[in-house]
Amino acid sequence: MVLIQGKGVSKGVAAGPLYFYQRGGAEIVRTQIEDTEAELARFEEARQTAMTQLQELYEKALAEVGEESAALFEAHQMMLEDMDYVEGIQDVIGSGVNAEAAVMEVAEQFAEMLLAMDDEYMQGRAADVKDISTRVVGILSGAVAGGIDSEVPVILAADDLAPSETVQLDKSKILGFVTSGGSGNSHTAILARTMGIPAIIGVGEKLKEAYSGKDVIIDGETGEVAVEADEITSERLLKKQAKERALKELLDQLKGQPNITIDGKKVMVYCNIGSPDDLDAVLANDGGGVGLFRSEFLYLQNDTYPTEEQQFRAYKTAAERMGGKRVIIRTLDIGADKQADYFQLEKEENPAMGLRAIRICLTRPEVFKTQLRALYRASVYGKIAIMFPMITSVWEVREIKRICQAVQAELRAEEIPFDEQVELGIMIETPASVMMSDQLAKEVDFFSVGTNDLTQYTLAVDRQGNNLDRFFDAHHPAVLRMIKQAADNAHKAGIWLGICGELGADTSLTETFLAIGVDELSVSPSAVLPLRSVIRSIDTRKNSEEILANL
Ligand code: PEP
Ligand code: MG
């Protein structure tokens, strides 16, 4: 047995074979081929596999986000059947070049040709040719780009995973995550918690590719990774897994019960999601609504801007499936660690403080308007609220509201129905927004505290930093006092305040949040019932005064 210690960032015990994440785009070596017939057959087989994959992606996209987005995969299939492209590759292979190099050579030629055209649409197709070619090369080299080429579910190992990589994974194939690097506050860790999948980060060099395929057991609470566990370890961890399952059954009995304290204070417990796929978990865990729909994941899943129609379908699905319960959709929060190449953002020295989130939306109003149109259109299908990230100033909120009004006027003129009462809220995740919360509260319908960024900016500690978790102390009194100040100002203005950062699920602080008067907690779906159980055990008359005096 090899026992590796990392940092647990998403609770739970999982057991299964270890599988190393295959990153597409590995360097391709050009080799001389003797048997060109066999190489041609290998290419053809990979091309057919790619066609099948694209068909599956088409069907998935059609069901989840609709025709317009699914059409991309159809277009990719057509390209893969394009005779000029296929014959071009066959010719290069025929001259004795290995299939991987032949595909990339022809892809480059096609991309160059398309880019040289005087037509923006055709220029845009260059990325598509590269995309399908990378897929074929990935299949040829056994590395299904970003995929998990395994029949059985696995414990996924990687050096680190970008949010855009994590969102594209087939979740049904993942029992757990283990990464060499990473931070507990990164979006990958957050995604693991949203999906309720055990995760461990920071295992360093000890995670070796040589362990690939070996049975491992991980404990997402303690951070243990046991490779080929001995009998004692295996028994201990599997016993813990059984206990967790039993506890889950017990918590299941709380479904349908209110989130109410002993002295009758009600709290809204909502869920954080990244895509409509997560709604099953929200409903299964009896979430009272969606407190944070991180809409940027729709952008990260795509290789170009998601269209209004595509977004509309995703938001409509969320609104409908939540059956009239509040669904707070946060507008695009791209930038910093969440990068999508097609935004072509300039490289920044300090991206966490750069052009991100609302700053991008206010700089590129056409991107913002497309999203707002989709949101307003979807608002008639349920109870949608819109929330804006990274606010620091009152002028930003006023400009946002002006843009919202312009979008509403457009829709009215086009006779497209929308809910006139859509609530607008802002995230409190910068110290400036806390300091200005008295004025900001007069502008909006609600506040939601993003403790991940609020901690980062208050303590000046990078939430992504590999060696900074010790300093990233969300329990720091400076953070808690910020929450209190924003809550007091919200209540003075008659609006509600929630917490949608990871701290909301920290049950060691639930009593403090209730003492502060937090009205809503938005947490990963798997945290709803444990939180409900804690809320129901609290009597706010007992300790609130003392807690507030010591803040
Ligand atoms: C936060 O900053 O706390 C938050 C909820 O937003 P994100 O983690 O997506 O930045
Ligand atoms: Mg944030």
Side-chain angles (χ1 to χ4, degrees), residues 330 333 356 427 429 450 452-453 463:
R330 174 176 73 185
D333 185 6
R356 61 168 290 200
M427 293 198 63
E429 52 184 350
N452 312 331
D453 277 315
R463 64 189 274 190

Side-chain angles (χ1 to χ4, degrees), residues 104-117 122-123 125-127 129-130:
M104 282 333 273
E105 183 181 316
V106 174
E108 287 298 334
Q109 284 167 7
F110 268 67
E112 257 174 51
M113 188 181 75
L114 289 162
L115 282 173
M117 287 187 177
M122 294 312 281
Q123 287 172 356
R125 305 285 65 74
V129 171
K130 283 197 178 159

Side-chain angles (χ1 to χ4, degrees), residues 261-265 511 538-545:
T261 62
I262 291 171
D263 53 322
K265 289 216 169 109
E511 199 170 10
I538 291 174
D539 184 338
T540 64
R541 290 166 304 191
K542 275 194 185 157
N543 302 319
S544 289
E545 252 176 59

Side-chain angles (χ1 to χ4, degrees), residues 362-507:
L362 293 178
T363 312
R364 301 184 184 183
E366 62 302 340
V367 174
F368 194 29
K369 274 190 168 174
T370 302
Q371 178 166 39
L372 290 172
R373 278 183 62 98
L375 285 165
Y376 276 109
R377 281 177 56 199
S379 66
V380 288
Y381 296 93
K383 191 176 179 193
I384 282 183
I386 309 177
M387 175 158 81
F388 304 98
M390 279 292 290
I391 297 296
T392 56
S393 310
V394 174
W395 72 260
E396 292 166 335
V397 180
R398 296 210 173 124
E399 193 165 320
I400 289 167
K401 290 202 300 191
R402 258 200 309 278
I403 298 174
C404 286
Q405 277 158 12
V407 165
Q408 292 181 1
E410 254 176 49
L411 293 174
R412 249 179 239 119
E414 293 167 36
E415 294 184 10
I416 297 175
F418 63 90
D419 175 5
E420 301 269 352
Q421 309 302 326
V422 170
E423 293 170 305
L424 300 183
I426 58 167
M427 293 198 63
I428 297 291
E429 52 184 350
T430 62
S433 63
V434 175
M435 300 313 290
M436 299 308 294
S437 53
D438 55 337
Q439 292 184 24
L440 289 166
K442 293 181 188 139
E443 301 286 334
V444 293
D445 302 305
F446 64 92
F447 282 165
S448 186
V449 185
T451 51
N452 312 331
D453 277 315
L454 186 60
T455 306
Q456 152 163 277
Y457 296 123
T458 302
L459 304 182
V461 180
D462 182 356
R463 64 189 274 190
Q464 292 288 115
N466 275 358
N467 302 312
L468 290 170
D469 277 3
R470 184 155 76 98
F471 301 98
F472 190 93
D473 176 16
H475 286 223
H476 196 295
V479 178
L480 300 177
R481 287 180 187 185
M482 292 250 178
I483 300 174
K484 166 90 167 50
Q485 187 172 332
D488 288 348
N489 282 328
H491 296 149
K492 258 185 234 155
I495 65 168
W496 60 267
L497 172 137
I499 296 179
C500 64
E502 294 300 289
L503 205 60
D506 185 336
T507 48

Side-chain angles (χ1 to χ4, degrees), residues 10 189-197 272-274 278 281 294 524-526:
S10 180
I190 291 174
L191 276 171
R193 290 192 283 269
T194 303
M195 298 186 288
I197 294 176
N272 295 346
I273 64 168
D278 299 327
R294 290 183 161 95
S524 58
S526 60

